[in-house]
């Protein structure tokens, strides 16, 4: 089971933001990688990959996004929020099937 | 460019079946697995299953076993999601997405989504 906090996050452009994700079991695999991804679903769009294996930015993702954590506790940080960052952020574990997603954190502008 | 293009919206009656297609372009179809994820209204994303288009091997979520199949047409680079015995709880947007075979780097490309509505 994946949980996230907060579930709603009003943000001010230019300010930092942080989302937490917790797994009911360790996502640290024997190869040393943490199997957790982060996705952003903008309003009316398909989800898009931001971070994979805990801390690797996907191609084309701005460097203001970063992922950290290990084991069961993970964090997505946005160093300076931009208006286009609004949407719902999901963490997902792909270590075991069925892959499971967190409930989502809705980020909007204050 | 790399893309997954899905078929159009569907309206089905309870008990019917639905087939959603996902056409891949811009990359080698058999170098990636295809995953299916759905999102019911107001709900979190839900993973349904995956398929290796090259081998035909895949795995389904136990929740859908018995009424979900994931065939493919490798000559046309198309993956399908077939769901039977539909109920109103299957009303959702269905997405396909890909994962590279040789090294995990996330669900990096997603289809645009297909809305399936189940209503009498």
């Amino acid at each position: 089971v994946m949980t996230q906090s907060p579930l709603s996050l009003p943000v001010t452009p230019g300010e930092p933001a942080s989302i937490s994700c917790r797994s009911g079991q360790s996502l640290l695999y024997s190869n040393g990688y943490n199997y957790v991804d982060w996705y952003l679903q903008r309003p009316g769009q398909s989800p898009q990959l931001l971070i994979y294996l805990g801390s690797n930015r996907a191609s084309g993702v701005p460097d203001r996004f970063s992922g950290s954590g290990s084991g069961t506790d993970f964090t997505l940080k946005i160093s300076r929020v931009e208006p286009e960052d609004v949407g719902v952020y999901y963490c997902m574990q792909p270590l075991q099937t069925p892959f499971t997603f967190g409930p989502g954190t809705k980020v909007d502008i204050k | 460019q790399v893309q997954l293009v899905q078929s159009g919206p569907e309206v089905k009656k309870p008990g019917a079946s639905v087939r959603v297609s996902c056409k891949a372009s811009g990359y080698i179809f058999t170098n990636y697995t295809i995953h299916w994820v759905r999102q019911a209204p107001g709900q979190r994303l839900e993973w349904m299953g995956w398929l290796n288009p090259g081998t035909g091997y895949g795995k389904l979520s136990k929740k859908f076993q018995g009424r979900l199949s994931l065939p493919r047409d490798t000559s046309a680079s198309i993956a399908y999601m077939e769901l039977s015995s539909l109920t109103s709880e299957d009303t959702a947007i269905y997405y396909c997405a890909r994962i590279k075979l040789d090294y995990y780097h996330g669900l990096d490309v997603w289809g645009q989504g297909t809305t399936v509505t189940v209503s009498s």
Side-chain angles (χ1 to χ4, degrees):
Chain A
V1 175
M2 304 292 283
T3 59
Q4 291 180 230
S5 63
L7 298 183
S8 177
L9 181 60
V11 297
T12 301
E15 294 295 306
S18 178
I19 300 170
S20 293
C21 174
R22 177 166 290 178
S23 171
Q25 63 185 61
S26 176
L27 300 180
L28 177 60
Y29 191 52
S30 55
N31 59 8
Y33 290 105
N34 284 282
Y35 278 72
V36 67
D37 302 337
W38 290 93
Y39 297 86
L40 164 61
Q41 187 173 31
R42 294 190 173 101
Q45 295 187 15
S46 304
Q48 67 173 90
L49 176 67
L50 295 175
I51 302 288
Y52 64 95
L53 294 178
S55 60
N56 296 276
R57 266 190 306 277
S59 176
V61 174
D63 61 7
R64 64 179 181 272
F65 290 94
S66 64
S68 63
S70 185
T72 61
D73 292 288
F74 301 91
T75 302
L76 175 72
K77 292 182 179 177
I78 310 174
S79 60
R80 295 174 308 279
V81 173
E82 299 285 341
E84 62 263 29
D85 299 338
V86 299
V88 181
Y89 290 77
Y90 295 94
C91 59
M92 184 196 85
Q93 70 79 18
L95 183 60
Q96 294 183 348
T97 58
F99 295 179
T100 48
F101 292 85
T105 294
K106 186 175 183 180
V107 172
D108 57 13
I109 301 296
K110 280 183 182 175
Chain B
Q1 74 276 26
V2 175
Q3 55 181 353
L4 297 172
V5 178
Q6 299 182 223
S7 48
E10 301 271 6
V11 179
K12 296 292 182 181
K13 293 193 181 304
S17 299
V18 68
R19 187 176 82 162
V20 176
S21 67
C22 172
K23 181 169 175 56
S25 61
Y27 72 94
I28 298 173
F29 185 53
T30 51
N31 283 358
Y32 293 75
T33 55
I34 293 290
H35 294 246
W36 290 89
V37 175
R38 76 178 186 179
Q39 187 171 36
Q43 302 297 310
R44 72 178 72 185
L45 297 164
E46 181 177 29
W47 182 87
M48 301 176 69
W50 68 270
L51 176 79
N52 179 329
T55 64
Y57 177 79
K59 196 164 186 181
L60 307 178
S61 170
K62 287 182 181 177
K63 176 175 179 177
F64 301 101
Q65 282 181 354
R67 66 185 193 104
L68 174 65
S69 65
L70 303 179
R72 87 287 191 207
D73 180 347
T74 53
S75 66
S77 299
I78 301 175
Y80 299 94
M81 187 282 298
E82 297 179 343
L83 189 62
S84 62
S85 302
L86 293 169
T87 73
S88 59
E89 294 187 351
D90 295 314
T91 293
I93 301 174
Y94 290 76
Y95 298 100
C96 61
R98 70 171 197 176
I99 291 179
K100 201 165 194 306
L101 266 171
D102 58 355
Y103 175 71
Y104 183 80
H105 65 349
L107 292 157
D108 69 336
V109 176
W110 292 64
Q112 83 276 22
T114 296
T115 300
V116 175
T117 303
V118 182
S119 174
S120 55

